[in-house]
Amino acid sequence: QVQLVESGGGLVQPGGSLRLSCAASGSIFSINHMGWYRQAPGKERELVAVITSGGSINCTDSGKGRFTISRDNAKNTVYLQMNSLKPEDTAVYYCNADLPTPIGYLEVWGQGTLVTVSS
């Protein structure tokens, strides 16, 4: 069974930075897309950024040029570097991965890590 574990969340002051990590473990042979989503209190989940196995990146307006996604294929880990954090960035951040199988893709989600931006 494949498991995703997020880490790096916590309390940070406005203008500060955090680096989120998501490590995949288990029976893994390859991973296609890996992405970061977030869900703020009372709001729907939204995509923050996604990165393919080849390194192609797509970022939404959520990060507003402040966030950077990257991955280490050797470690099956995806990162989200968040700079110039704002209170509106407060949310639970979820890691997602798509694993190819002979009959399609297996979608795996982490349990989330809470990011709180407050003075």
Side-chain angles (χ1 to χ4, degrees):
Q1 186 175 11
V2 178
Q3 183 181 13
L4 301 179
V5 179
E6 301 99 334
S7 62
L11 176 64
V12 64
Q13 295 186 8
S17 298
L18 283 176
R19 188 193 189 202
L20 305 183
S21 299
C22 173
S25 62
S27 182
I28 300 173
F29 296 95
S30 65
I31 303 176
N32 190 21
H33 295 81
M34 299 189 77
W36 286 98
Y37 297 74
R38 71 182 184 184
Q39 186 168 14
K43 299 184 180 297
E44 296 182 349
R45 183 194 66 183
E46 64 175 349
L47 174 67
V48 177
V50 62
I51 184 170
T52 70
S53 60
S56 181
I57 297 173
N58 183 31
C59 296
T60 67
D61 292 336
S62 299
K64 300 178 181 179
R66 300 173 293 118
F67 297 173
T68 301
I69 189 172
S70 61
R71 66 188 288 172
D72 186 337
N73 290 333
K75 298 180 179 180
N76 290 321
T77 300
V78 63
Y79 307 93
L80 184 67
Q81 178 67 46
M82 303 187 293
N83 300 323
S84 302
L85 285 163
K86 303 176 181 180
E88 51 263 42
D89 294 318
T90 297
V92 177
Y93 286 72
Y94 297 93
C95 176
N96 171 267
D98 291 326
L99 285 70
T101 73
I103 60 174
Y105 286 96
L106 174 65
E107 189 174 52
V108 183
W109 289 89
Q111 292 185 332
T113 183
L114 177 62
V115 173
T116 303
V117 185
S118 176
S119 60

